[in-house]
């Protein structure tokens, strides 16, 4: 895999050429940035930027003003190769709060090790309706300790409007949901994204994360997706590397709350 070539393709197709990730949202170019705009329950933020040092602070101020007029916060998704090199410092100075740094990892679907299966007694259920969404969101709230109302909103909207572009799965031990994840397909590109792999306490370390990655990778291959991408935490990165994923750069969410 040519890392430079794949990163350029990723920037072109998923950032500069981004498509809305939910019904009711829009993606627009404004000056030197590409941003997504939606309701407070949607993901709002800057996906891509092409800035020079002289105009960076003014562009940041423009985005703060724009989203401030909408009355809700937004995220500036900063990648390790974005310019200028001190963009993170400038965002902090403008009032943004950085979240945990993650690693952008990519794999060719054909090169992945797809032999992993769920542990004994666990079955996988694909999410196709509101009941399945509630199971998935419940896992995420327990696994990550966060409010899942925005995720529930986005998943229900996506399943209603574009069901072929989101493939979600819940792992059940008997009737108890113990792990969950989703994959988002990006029509018109060679990419699919793996998101939200989470396992409740007491079931971690049993191979569920690996099994859910494998399951989604098989689905991606069935749908003709050439590349899979993941924003990997420090905990998931070693598992993904063993499966065949390669790190390309870092990504950090910078969040601004008005």
């Amino acid at each position: 895999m040519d890392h430079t070539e794949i990163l350029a393709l990723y920037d072109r197709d998923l950032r500069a050429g981004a498509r809305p990730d939910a019904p009711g949202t829009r993606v627009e170019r404004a000056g030197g940035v590409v941003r997504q705009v939606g309701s407070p329950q949607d993901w709002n933020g800057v996906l891509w930027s092409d800035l020079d040092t002289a105009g960076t602070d003014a562009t940041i101020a423009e985005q703060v003003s724009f989203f401030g007029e909408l009355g809700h916060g937004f995220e500036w998704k900063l990648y390790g190769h974005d310019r200028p090199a001190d963009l993170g410092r400038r965002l902090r100075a403008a009032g943004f709060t950085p979240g945990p740094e993650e690693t952008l990892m990519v794999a060719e679907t054909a090169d992945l090790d797809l032999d992993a299966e769920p542990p004994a007694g666990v079955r996988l259920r694909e999410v196709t309706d509101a009941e399945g969404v509630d199971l998935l969101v419940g896992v995420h709230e327990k696994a990550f300790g966060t409010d899942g109302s925005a995720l529930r909103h986005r998943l229900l909207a996506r399943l209603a409007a574009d069901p072929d572009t989101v493939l979600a799965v819940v792992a059940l031990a008997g009737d108890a949901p113990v792990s969950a994840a989703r994959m988002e397909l990006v029509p018109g590109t060679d990419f699919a994204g793996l998101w939200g792999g989470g396992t409740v306490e007491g079931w971690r370390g049993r191979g569920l994360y690996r099994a859910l990655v494998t399951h989604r990778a098989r689905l991606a291959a069935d749908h003709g997706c050439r590349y899979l991408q993941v924003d990997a935490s420090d905990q998931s990165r070693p598992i993904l590397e063993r499966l065949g994923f390669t790190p390309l750069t870092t990504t950090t969410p910078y969040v601004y709350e008005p």
Side-chain angles (χ1 to χ4, degrees):
M1 182 186 294
D2 185 322
H3 292 190
T4 302
E5 179 182 335
I6 299 303
L7 186 56
L9 187 65
Y10 177 90
D11 281 344
R12 187 195 73 185
D13 289 352
L14 301 188
R15 300 184 66 204
R19 297 152 178 78
D21 71 359
T25 63
R26 68 182 187 274
V27 171
E28 56 191 26
R29 180 181 290 272
V33 307
V34 172
R35 66 193 180 201
Q36 176 168 291
V37 184
S39 76
Q41 289 185 297
D42 295 310
W43 186 88
N44 289 262
V46 173
L47 292 155
W48 178 85
S49 61
D50 182 18
L51 305 175
D52 58 46
T53 301
T56 296
D57 292 337
T59 299
I60 293 172
E62 289 168 1
Q63 300 312 307
V64 169
S65 175
F66 173 81
F67 283 101
E69 291 178 2
L70 297 179
H72 55 74
F74 71 105
E75 175 184 323
W76 192 301
K77 196 168 175 64
L78 178 66
Y79 289 79
H81 61 291
D82 287 345
R83 294 292 178 266
D86 65 346
L87 182 52
R89 178 190 63 77
R90 292 169 182 264
L91 289 169
R92 290 191 298 273
F96 288 76
T97 301
E101 181 182 272
E102 297 182 316
T103 303
L104 172 64
M105 305 188 75
V106 174
E108 290 204 49
T109 309
D111 294 341
L112 289 173
D113 175 1
L114 301 180
D115 292 335
E117 297 292 343
V122 175
R123 60 188 173 91
L124 302 184
R125 169 181 168 174
E126 293 190 10
V127 173
T128 59
D129 55 20
E131 180 184 6
V133 169
D134 285 342
L135 291 174
L136 181 146
V137 170
V139 169
H140 281 230
E141 289 181 332
K142 291 178 182 177
F144 300 118
T146 56
D147 178 14
S149 56
L151 174 60
R152 179 182 286 105
H153 163 80
R154 292 196 299 269
L155 271 178
L156 288 173
R158 190 86 172 254
L159 285 171
D162 299 300
D164 294 334
T165 65
V166 58
L167 303 170
V169 60
V170 176
L172 299 167
D175 293 327
V178 295
S179 189
R182 70 188 189 277
M183 177 171 68
E184 297 181 3
L185 309 179
V186 187
T189 78
D190 290 329
F191 288 93
L194 303 184
W195 300 99
T199 301
V200 301
E201 190 173 356
W203 280 89
R204 296 167 186 164
R206 303 193 192 187
L208 280 168
Y209 181 85
R210 180 186 177 99
L212 289 180
V213 171
T214 298
H215 180 76
R216 288 175 290 166
R218 291 172 184 156
L219 293 176
D222 291 343
H223 283 77
C225 296
R226 182 175 180 183
Y227 300 110
L228 285 174
Q229 62 91 193
V230 188
D231 290 350
S233 67
D234 290 342
Q235 291 74 34
S236 57
R237 175 173 172 168
I239 302 171
L240 292 165
E241 287 181 322
R242 289 194 293 270
L243 286 170
F245 283 79
T246 299
L248 293 185
T249 186
T250 60
T251 176
T252 305
Y254 279 77
V255 176
Y256 188 93
E257 293 292 348

